[in-house]
Amino acid sequence: MPPGAVSTIILIATMAFVLALRFRRMRRGRRLRPGLLWVMPVLIATLAGVMLYAAPPAGVRGWGLAALGLALGALFGWQRGRMVQLELDPDNGTLNQRESPWALLFIVAIIGARALARSFAAQEAAALGITLLTITDALLLMALGLVSMQRLVLWRRAAALQAAGG
């Protein structure tokens, strides 16, 4: 076996197991609490702010890559937020959310793209003058954009659904 093949097989098996569990849990809806959708974006923004303060991206290229990560994350978050199904329970007025299988596969594709970006970072980034810290900043800002935009889309959709149903 080539070096690293065992760890790759273990990673793929673990991902398959986790995906199987997630697909099984997706059949049931989960309660959506619109008032708490702001918590995770604030936590990630705080972490990103601390990281950017401690080691800001270097130069225009670094800040450009960080801005690109944030913009791509916002685009992915907008799409992912649209993929979540929201339902208003007419009996008690609570909101329920159910992820579609496409939303989960979308996240798997993003994780795959991130793995490719890390592979690129390890091999080619130094030749372009990009440090691993800059790529880490860009990926962190991508996560911030994804979570923030997804939560914003869910909050807006939930507010519209409650207004129409209540």
Side-chain angles (χ1 to χ4, degrees):
M1 275 192 179
V6 173
S7 63
T8 303
I9 291 170
I10 291 172
L11 176 67
I12 291 171
T14 303
M15 289 287 291
F17 178 72
V18 168
L19 284 175
L21 288 177
R22 289 292 302 224
F23 273 121
R24 200 174 107 221
R25 282 182 34 203
M26 281 178 17
R27 291 184 188 139
R28 306 182 301 233
R30 260 185 10 218
R31 185 166 177 211
L32 176 68
R33 295 178 178 90
L36 296 177
L37 288 174
W38 61 272
V39 174
M40 188 59 75
V42 167
L43 291 174
I44 296 173
T46 303
L47 176 65
V50 168
M51 297 242 341
L52 290 174
Y53 178 78
V60 174
R61 184 177 292 165
W63 283 105
L65 192 59
L68 177 65
L70 184 64
L72 283 175
L75 179 68
F76 294 152
W78 173 73
Q79 181 60 38
R80 184 155 160 61
R82 290 180 46 221
M83 290 179 175
V84 175
Q85 299 169 3
L86 295 181
E87 300 167 350
L88 183 63
D89 188 346
D91 296 333
N92 57 15
T94 60
L95 285 164
N96 295 314
Q97 67 178 357
R98 186 173 305 149
E99 285 189 55
S100 73
W102 292 110
L104 187 60
L105 292 175
F106 187 68
I107 286 295
V108 170
I110 291 171
I111 291 170
R114 182 177 162 254
L116 288 174
R118 274 202 297 183
S119 172
F120 166 78
Q123 298 172 4
E124 306 293 330
L128 295 174
I130 300 171
T131 65
L132 290 176
L133 190 57
T134 301
I135 291 179
T136 301
D137 289 341
L139 290 174
L140 181 60
L141 287 173
M142 183 174 146
L144 174 62
L146 189 143
V147 170
S148 298
M149 186 59 77
Q150 177 187 1
R151 300 294 174 101
L152 178 64
V153 167
L154 286 176
W155 179 76
R156 291 186 66 195
R157 290 179 54 212
L161 193 59
Q162 285 177 323

